[in-house]
Amino acid sequence: MTSTERTRTYWLEHAWLGTHVEPGVAVTVADGRVLAVRREVPAPPPGAEILRGLTLPGLANAHSHAFHRALRGTVQVGSGTFWTWREVMYSVADRLTPETYLDLARAVYAEMALAGITAVGEFHYVHHAPGGTPYADPNAMGEALIEAAAEAGIRITLLDTCYLSSGFGEPPGTHQLRFSDGTAEAWAQRSSLLKERDHARIGAAIHSVRAVPADQLATVARWAEERRAPLHVHLSEQTAENDACQQAHGRTPTALLAENGVLGPRTTGVHNTHLTDEDIALLGRSRTGTCMCPTTERDLADGIGPAAALQRAGSPLSLGSDSHAVVDLLEEARAMELNERLRTHTRGHWTAAALLRAATADGHAALGWDDTGRIEAGARADLATIALDSVRTAGPLPRLGAETAVFAATAADVRHTIVGGRHVVRDGAHTLVPDVPRALARAAEALRA
Ligand SMILES: [Zn+2]
């Protein structure tokens, strides 16, 4: 087959081109990448595949724990805190095997594809069998996630997570034994065995300053630096973490990370909720990214992070569905703005364009996919098309600026998802995983006690 035979053209009724919406855009794709973008094409060229609605670059879900999807609903009964929620979450983690995790993650990533997500950052720490015994393949769990993403048709950055302690100076608890490699050096050896593929990048994560002792932080940072890989870390999601860090080290988690060489432009702090002014300045100056997960942060009663101040200080923003209370990047994007409105009693902190940038180009960059998240020649052909004629989006949107659909559309409005030029979702149906709701139900059922 010649390269010409592999060329295909999409006609986008409306296209988000990073700064504005353009009607009638032809996108030619070959070998998974955009060859050319032609504007002012009022009608579909012969043979073109028609994408009706508003086509965005594919959405990046920069923070995911796939197994948390099995908790949906069950954790909405009763009251409690982040810490009581965590006990329920651990009981599901206890029951995961490489086989059940593959089934669950395939369904979860298929749900993401249906929501227009073309790349996921999987913050992965359930490494070993219960009790901490390594599997015959020490990366059996991580490999299950990489395989799940392939079968669901999306890209993954496996953020292999170092998790060594239950708190400052505390060994891992019973539930956490399967998360721990013992030392950062042992974590590095195991992680180094993971191989990148076409759809998969390997990055690193520090679970949190609670879970990685200060003297081991630099080992993880060095591993990521040597590979020029993304490095993510849960940061100041809860005030209890800040208090314990102050008690153990006399400084904030952000200051501790800065001292140990963790911050920098390839690093992303996840949540960044309870920060001091100096923390914000440290993150901004070092160009460390911020991944906000607003639907999880409100679900877990975390608080509202200072996303606007972080961005002003120089921290690029990305978005994640984290615990998958819902999987909807459009909701994550508008929630960031709407939270800020509630906090400040003023509107208009981010434009629709700025929210889309966090959900696309900057989200991909946080996951190490620098050539994705834009509709332009040379970029990977990852696209998500949102219906503009649903009950939520019908009306004057195209005339006003169709990108404002980010304030009204939901994951249910995603009509097409294209990854590397391949239709993974067509007309709202997944092309690789036949019945996603059923797959989710079965996988969650298999993990029930
Ligand atoms: Zn998380």
Side-chain angles (χ1 to χ4, degrees):
M1 191 183 273
T2 69
S3 128
T4 324
E5 284 166 325
R6 282 199 296 266
T7 299
R8 116 177 15 157
T9 298
Y10 295 98
W11 181 76
L12 284 44
E13 187 184 27
H14 296 92
W16 172 247
L17 297 181
T19 52
H20 66 290
V21 172
E22 188 101 4
V25 171
V27 174
T28 310
V29 171
D31 298 326
R33 286 186 186 265
V34 175
L35 263 188
V37 177
R38 275 188 301 133
R39 303 173 188 208
E40 296 179 24
V41 183
E49 193 146 352
I50 298 169
L51 302 180
R52 224 167 265 293
L54 170 65
T55 298
L56 310 169
L59 305 176
N61 188 358
H63 190 66
S64 160
H65 308 282
F67 76 91
H68 291 191
R69 177 62 178 81
L71 300 168
R72 192 182 291 180
T74 61
V75 284
Q76 300 299 355
V77 181
S79 54
T81 64
F82 172 90
W83 307 102
T84 54
W85 168 87
R86 193 176 71 158
E87 287 307 307
V88 183
M89 182 267 280
Y90 281 165
S91 70
V92 171
D94 278 348
R95 289 193 285 276
L96 289 168
T97 66
E99 295 74 26
T100 57
Y101 209 4
L102 172 61
D103 287 343
L104 177 62
R106 183 196 304 111
V108 174
Y109 296 156
E111 180 182 359
M112 290 185 193
L114 287 166
I117 292 161
T118 53
V120 61
E122 180 64 36
F123 197 107
H124 165 58
Y125 54 83
V126 188
H127 300 303
H128 306 298
T133 313
Y135 290 104
D137 171 358
N139 286 310
M141 294 293 263
E143 291 291 345
L145 293 163
I146 290 172
E147 175 61 20
E151 293 180 17
I154 68 170
R155 303 186 195 285
I156 185 171
T157 297
L158 188 75
L159 298 159
D160 194 284
T161 304
C162 186
Y163 194 129
L164 307 172
S165 55
S166 67
F168 297 90
E170 300 287 331
T174 317
H175 296 297
Q176 296 156 336
L177 286 171
R178 65 184 310 194
F179 310 161
S180 176
D181 294 293
T183 63
E185 196 47 54
W187 165 86
Q189 283 173 16
R190 183 184 50 70
S191 300
S192 299
L193 301 173
L194 288 159
K195 298 275 180 289
E196 301 207 330
R197 322 183 188 167
D198 275 357
H199 79 293
R201 293 216 60 193
I202 309 299
I206 289 163
H207 179 275
S208 56
V209 292
R210 282 181 276 127
V212 179
D215 63 359
Q216 317 251 337
L217 292 169
T219 304
V220 185
R222 210 162 35 239
W223 186 100
E225 180 64 31
E226 282 166 9
R227 289 162 179 76
R228 309 195 66 72
L231 171 60
H232 287 215
V233 52
H234 287 132
L235 181 55
S236 291
E237 180 177 8
Q238 292 286 324
T239 51
E241 171 178 298
N242 288 4
D243 297 344
C245 188
Q246 283 289 358
Q247 208 161 21
H249 295 290
R251 44 185 58 70
T252 64
T254 302
L256 189 66
L257 294 176
E259 271 178 18
N260 286 280
V262 174
L263 303 187
R266 276 191 312 282
T267 300
T268 295
V270 181
H271 303 302
N272 295 0
T273 310
H274 302 286
L275 302 180
T276 64
D277 290 347
E278 179 53 24
D279 291 340
I280 293 171
L282 275 172
L283 292 164
R285 267 205 308 276
S286 59
R287 297 291 179 262
T288 302
T290 294
C291 179
M292 300 300 288
C293 306
T295 69
T296 292
E297 288 149 6
R298 70 195 187 199
D299 186 63
L300 296 181
D302 288 344
I304 300 171
L310 281 159
Q311 187 170 44
R312 272 197 305 276
S315 177
L317 301 177
S318 55
L319 298 160
S321 65
D322 189 5
S323 69
H324 313 312
V326 296
V327 171
D328 189 338
L329 257 280
L330 300 167
E331 173 62 26
E332 302 295 344
R334 67 175 161 263
M336 187 164 69
E337 162 68 18
L338 299 178
N339 279 350
E340 197 68 5
R341 291 184 189 182
L342 285 172
R343 204 174 64 76
T344 61
H345 307 173
T346 57
R347 310 177 80 228
H349 305 276
W350 289 275
T351 59
L355 297 176
L356 287 177
R357 185 184 166 94
T360 58
D362 288 355
H364 281 98
L367 298 178
W369 297 97
D370 294 322
D371 52 357
T372 320
R374 291 177 296 278
I375 302 178
E376 64 182 35
R380 292 173 192 268
D382 296 355
L383 306 170
T385 304
I386 295 170
L388 294 179
D389 55 1
S390 78
V391 286
R392 286 163 294 277
T393 57
L397 285 171
R399 188 167 48 81
L400 285 176
E403 74 275 16
T404 58
V406 70
F407 284 102
T410 72
D413 297 311
V414 172
R415 191 172 272 166
H416 306 290
T417 306
I418 292 166
V419 183
R422 173 165 76 153
H423 248 97
V424 175
V425 172
R426 188 189 293 278
D427 296 320
H430 204 288
T431 62
L432 305 171
V433 180
D435 185 342
V436 178
R438 192 178 155 162
L440 283 163
R442 291 175 90 161
E445 180 63 35
L447 292 168
R448 232 156 260 154

